[in-house]
Amino acid sequence: MPANSMEELVSLCKRRGFIFPSSDIYGGLQGLYDYGPLGVELKNNLKAAWWRSMVYDRDDVEGLDASILTKPTTLQYSGHEATFTDPMVDCRNCKGRFRADHLEAAKCPNCGSGDLTEPRDFNLMFKTAVGPVDDGSSFAYLRPETAQAIFTNFKNVLDATSRRLPFGIAQIGKAFRNEITPRNFIFRVREFEQMELEFFVRPGEDDAWHERWVELRLEWWEQQGVPRDRIELYHVPQDELAHYSKATVDLMYHFPHGVEELEGIANRTDFDLGAHSKGQADLGITSNVPDNRDSNARLAVQDLEAKKWFVPFVIEPSAGVDRGFLAVLNEAYQEQDLGDGKSRTVLSLPSHLAPIKAAVLPLKRNHEGIVAKAKGLKQELQRLGLGRILFEDTGNIGKGYRRHDEVGTPYCMTVDFDSLEDNSVTVRSRDTMEQSRMAMADIPAFLRENLAS
Ligand code: ATP
């Protein structure tokens, strides 16, 4: 069980090239981070695992990759313009601005002054000008969630694929929120990625599907190395629900800074599809949401037997990639005592998430024969399509093993003088630290078997 501090994770991320503060050489920009050489691999692997489980392993989900810039009308009818706000107070003394619901006393957390304004709503959406003239007349929002483009594309996807309920649309992509107090490393940032599924079901079947998706998502996190007993379920009380939700279950993970939301699984009812539809009265549909005078689409489906139209309900598992990254890293990170005053840092990632799957190390730097053999092995293994295989010519094998333990590389292969004669190499395992000799010809099958998870 990890008992890691955020500082340990931040330090590993910077030192080994997982994550850097954004705009670092200019002093940084608060609430933004850049993923480095290993971070981008781990993040891509996490997203690929989600996509595989949502789109490839199921036969009732289609994918989508929609624009980030979003027409204001979309976010007007979705309710985000009116409600996507946090209550803020300003300190008249130091001019600091804070979330009213995060204040512990009626005092400024910065300077301690009690001279605070009344709470005011602050919209979290970023705006940007569209087109050559920036006079405020033509702007778009940077989407605050990926979900809305799934709803506005509902009919396009349905027409293109002839799907029947229940079916889902999955999307992974950036979302932006002007968080007042970005903090806790990549936990709360202003630019992040979401992995969202909108799963459309018949009204009446929504509660059962909601429960099912909570279970499926817990199973998935377990496969990423985040065990069930490290996640608490929070059934959001009625008075805290978002405007579109009938019921929401948050998966609360034990992050290093506390138990907080990793993923939210909401029953969004027929709110969004209804809100983006033009009047549907002539289809016999009455809706609880205000009439939409700007949309030209009807986001409804027909019940062929009953010959009736209805608006599907939607269950939404919405996970943060960055929070997922942090959880996976936290679970995998261990300081191991090896006895005799020795220790090692090891990242016990599931192999499908490891940034580097195997490293090929020549025993002797610049030795023509050994280097050529090692490079040949790297190329051959790379072609297996298992992910990144690294050739690394640093010459210090012991240090190489330690470094690869620290970044989670499951296997290192050392090519030495004997390899030139017998075509075998030393294979060293991250988890057991055992070393064994293996014929080069057997390595592809070994990796295929041991890296498949
Ligand atoms: P919180 O209450 O922590 O602000 P939220 O309930 O507003 O989160 P949702 O709108 O449910 O979050 O978004 C779905 C997921 O997107 C969250 O579970 C989280 O993983 C991720 N997410 C939301 N806001 C951020 C953020 N500022 N930084 C990183 N990830 C975020």
Side-chain angles (χ1 to χ4, degrees):
M1 181 170 290
N4 308 310
S5 67
M6 195 69 101
E7 289 68 38
E8 282 171 309
L9 301 183
V10 173
S11 152
L12 173 80
C13 283
K14 175 100 200 258
R15 195 169 68 247
R16 292 300 184 204
F18 284 93
I19 298 174
F20 310 120
S22 194
S23 303
D24 204 11
I25 64 167
Y26 290 110
L29 190 53
Q30 217 201 347
L32 296 166
Y33 288 91
D34 298 338
Y35 287 77
L38 296 179
V40 63
E41 298 290 343
L42 173 48
K43 198 182 190 203
N44 283 344
N45 292 341
L46 187 65
K47 292 190 282 183
W50 186 89
W51 195 262
R52 261 197 315 273
S53 87
M54 287 298 185
V55 185
Y56 297 168
D57 291 349
R58 302 182 62 90
D59 283 309
D60 54 4
V61 174
E62 303 287 349
L64 184 74
D65 182 12
S67 319
I68 287 169
L69 294 184
T70 305
K71 193 159 172 157
T73 337
T74 303
L75 292 157
Q76 174 196 333
Y77 283 101
S78 70
H80 283 84
E81 274 194 342
T83 61
F84 201 63
T85 55
D86 277 339
M88 305 301 308
V89 294
D90 291 312
C91 172
R92 292 195 184 90
N93 184 40
C94 73
K95 310 295 176 211
R97 176 172 279 181
F98 310 94
R99 267 177 71 163
D101 53 336
H102 282 178
L103 287 186
E104 276 166 19
K107 280 205 162 62
C108 171
N110 190 30
C111 69
S113 162
D115 192 7
L116 305 175
T117 62
E118 284 299 304
R120 284 181 290 223
D121 280 342
F122 177 87
N123 196 292
L124 298 178
M125 291 195 291
F126 283 102
K127 272 183 188 174
T128 191
V130 173
V133 185
D134 184 6
D135 62 1
S137 64
S138 175
F139 73 95
Y141 287 114
L142 275 66
R143 63 185 178 196
E145 61 176 20
T146 70
Q148 290 308 318
I150 296 184
F151 301 126
T152 55
N153 275 294
F154 176 78
K155 198 167 176 329
N156 290 335
V157 174
L158 203 61
D159 290 349
T161 62
S162 314
R163 284 277 173 199
R164 295 270 165 82
L165 296 180
F167 80 97
I169 304 177
Q171 180 168 221
I172 300 177
K174 291 264 182 172
F176 301 81
R177 297 181 188 179
N178 197 3
E179 300 278 2
I180 304 310
T181 38
R183 60 187 163 170
N184 295 319
F185 193 32
I186 51 172
F187 176 81
R188 186 175 301 287
V189 283
R190 292 188 168 129
E191 175 177 341
F192 54 100
E193 273 188 279
Q194 291 183 315
M195 306 182 279
E196 295 197 301
L197 172 71
E198 305 302 324
F199 196 76
F200 302 100
V201 301
R202 286 173 172 275
E205 295 176 3
D206 50 317
D207 293 337
W209 273 109
H210 195 194
E211 272 176 39
R212 176 103 188 96
W213 273 111
V214 172
E215 271 317 304
L216 288 172
R217 297 303 302 145
L218 287 167
E219 276 169 31
W220 185 82
W221 282 112
E222 186 124 40
Q223 288 156 15
Q224 313 318 310
V226 184
R228 176 73 183 76
D229 63 5
R230 300 271 296 148
I231 295 178
E232 291 172 21
L233 296 187
Y234 178 64
H235 294 261
V236 178
Q238 283 293 318
D239 59 342
E240 284 178 27
L241 287 174
H243 62 281
Y244 50 73
S245 173
K246 167 182 161 187
T248 297
V249 179
D250 287 341
L251 307 191
M252 309 289 284
Y253 169 71
H254 286 250
F255 285 100
H257 63 278
V259 181
E260 290 218 56
E261 179 179 330
L262 169 65
E263 168 163 355
I265 303 164
N267 181 343
R268 293 181 79 128
T269 70
D270 55 356
F271 177 84
D272 299 274
L273 291 183
H276 290 304
S277 287
K278 67 175 173 182
Q280 312 213 43
D282 55 333
L283 294 181
I285 298 176
T286 50
S287 166
N288 297 327
V289 290
D291 203 21
N292 187 325
R293 277 163 281 110
D294 295 308
S295 165
N296 57 28
R298 288 194 170 112
L299 308 179
V301 297
Q302 200 174 13
D303 181 334
L304 293 175
E305 275 162 31
K307 299 213 166 16
K308 267 178 59 185
W309 287 85
F310 65 93
V311 181
F313 269 41
V314 65
I315 307 300
E316 175 195 70
S318 170
V321 177
D322 312 78
R323 289 186 191 179
F325 188 112
L326 190 56
V328 160
L329 198 70
N330 188 40
E331 288 300 318
Y333 183 93
Q334 294 172 40
E335 290 291 342
Q336 277 179 1
D337 185 355
L338 303 177
D340 292 340
K342 290 194 194 130
S343 66
R344 70 165 181 161
T345 303
V346 60
L347 217 50
S348 300
L349 290 166
S351 59
H352 70 279
L353 295 181
I356 299 165
K357 307 301 175 190
V360 183
L361 316 171
L363 180 70
K364 201 154 172 52
R365 253 189 124 168
N366 302 328
H367 183 287
E368 219 176 296
I370 293 179
V371 167
K373 201 155 204 84
K375 280 190 172 165
L377 180 60
K378 180 244 140 93
Q379 290 300 344
E380 189 191 341
L381 300 180
Q382 191 61 61
R383 281 195 292 273
L384 300 174
L386 296 168
R388 188 169 187 201
I389 310 286
L390 188 72
F391 164 83
E392 199 175 65
D393 191 7
T394 56
N396 187 328
I397 300 301
K399 270 196 183 159
Y401 289 165
R402 288 284 182 277
R403 199 170 48 250
H404 281 288
D405 283 346
E406 214 182 352
V407 302
T409 309
Y411 298 103
C412 288
M413 322 213 157
T414 301
V415 178
D416 56 21
F417 289 99
D418 289 344
S419 311
L420 300 178
E421 308 297 324
D422 65 4
N423 278 319
S424 62
V425 296
T426 300
V427 177
R428 191 256 187 195
S429 151
R430 171 197 76 192
D431 294 337
T432 63
M433 291 188 285
E434 271 167 22
Q435 302 184 23
S436 57
R437 206 68 190 164
M438 196 179 291
M440 281 168 66
D442 294 338
I443 291 180
F446 171 82
L447 288 187
R448 270 205 202 95
E449 191 179 327
N450 288 284
L451 293 178
S453 56

